[in-house]
Amino acid sequence: MHMTTFRAYIILAAILVGIANRSLAQGKNDHGHAIAGKYDGNTFIELMQVTLPLQVELQRVRDDSVIVKIANLALPNGQIFSFTSRPLSVKPALEQGKQIYHLRLAFSYTYNNMPLRVQVAASVKGKELEGEVKAVIMESMETKATYKGKKTT
């Protein structure tokens, strides 16, 4: 009876140690978790010549990807802009000895019956998110918006 109990404890301990080691390894490589959260900041919209407060949320969907969410950005003309991206790959790079994450996406969008081609390049350094959005409107006019925010959660 004692040998069976002892074996059960050894097996249980091995399982728990394995789970703990796997969790530590996943945490180390869980880049989605590393940058997930809400970032409060401001965006400057070149075309409107206006700076607006903006919260950007990065939601972890897997250990190597996040989605970008913008909810209810109130534009000066009274329109509300909301956006949710498809999952974006998250991989770290080293720049000046610090870990940085680059996020890139491109999509087409229709705004006031005008087709837009949009490209976004953003980076997360520590608790700061910076990004630039370039938009080509009706294949003829280009504009951009910039964003800087700090992680709040």
Side-chain angles (χ1 to χ4, degrees):
M1 185 76 160
H2 290 292
M3 189 58 113
T4 305
T5 305
F6 180 71
R7 283 184 189 155
Y9 282 128
I10 293 294
I11 291 169
L12 181 60
I15 290 170
L16 292 175
V17 168
I19 290 170
N21 285 341
R22 186 165 186 257
S23 294
L24 287 173
Q26 278 183 334
K28 185 177 178 182
N29 295 316
D30 193 344
H31 306 301
H33 178 74
I35 66 170
K38 293 182 179 180
Y39 295 79
D40 286 337
N42 292 304
T43 184
F44 176 73
I45 302 171
E46 183 181 81
L47 185 64
M48 298 177 177
Q49 290 294 299
V50 66
T51 299
L52 301 171
L54 175 62
Q55 183 178 79
V56 175
E57 183 175 2
L58 302 180
Q59 289 183 342
R60 177 190 178 275
V61 288
R62 286 187 297 280
D63 61 355
D64 64 346
S65 59
V66 295
I67 58 172
V68 178
K69 290 188 85 170
I70 295 172
N72 303 324
L73 172 62
L75 298 172
N77 62 6
Q79 290 184 317
I80 303 295
F81 176 79
S82 296
F83 174 79
T84 301
S85 75
R86 68 186 193 289
L88 303 174
S89 176
V90 177
K91 292 189 173 112
L94 278 178
E95 288 184 11
Q96 300 171 343
K98 292 189 177 185
Q99 200 163 32
I100 184 170
Y101 297 89
H102 294 287
L103 301 170
R104 300 192 192 298
L105 73 133
F107 60 95
S108 295
Y109 186 73
T110 301
Y111 178 75
N112 283 345
N113 295 322
M114 295 182 290
L116 298 163
R117 255 186 313 115
V118 181
Q119 290 185 315
V120 181
S123 60
V124 178
K125 298 175 191 170
K127 298 217 177 267
E128 294 184 2
L129 171 64
E130 290 187 23
E132 182 176 83
V133 178
K134 290 183 181 177
V136 176
I137 304 165
M138 297 177 61
E139 299 297 328
S140 61
M141 183 172 63
E142 187 173 302
T143 188
K144 71 178 183 176
T146 54
Y147 175 80
K148 287 186 181 185
K150 289 195 181 234
K151 193 173 190 178
T152 59
T153 60

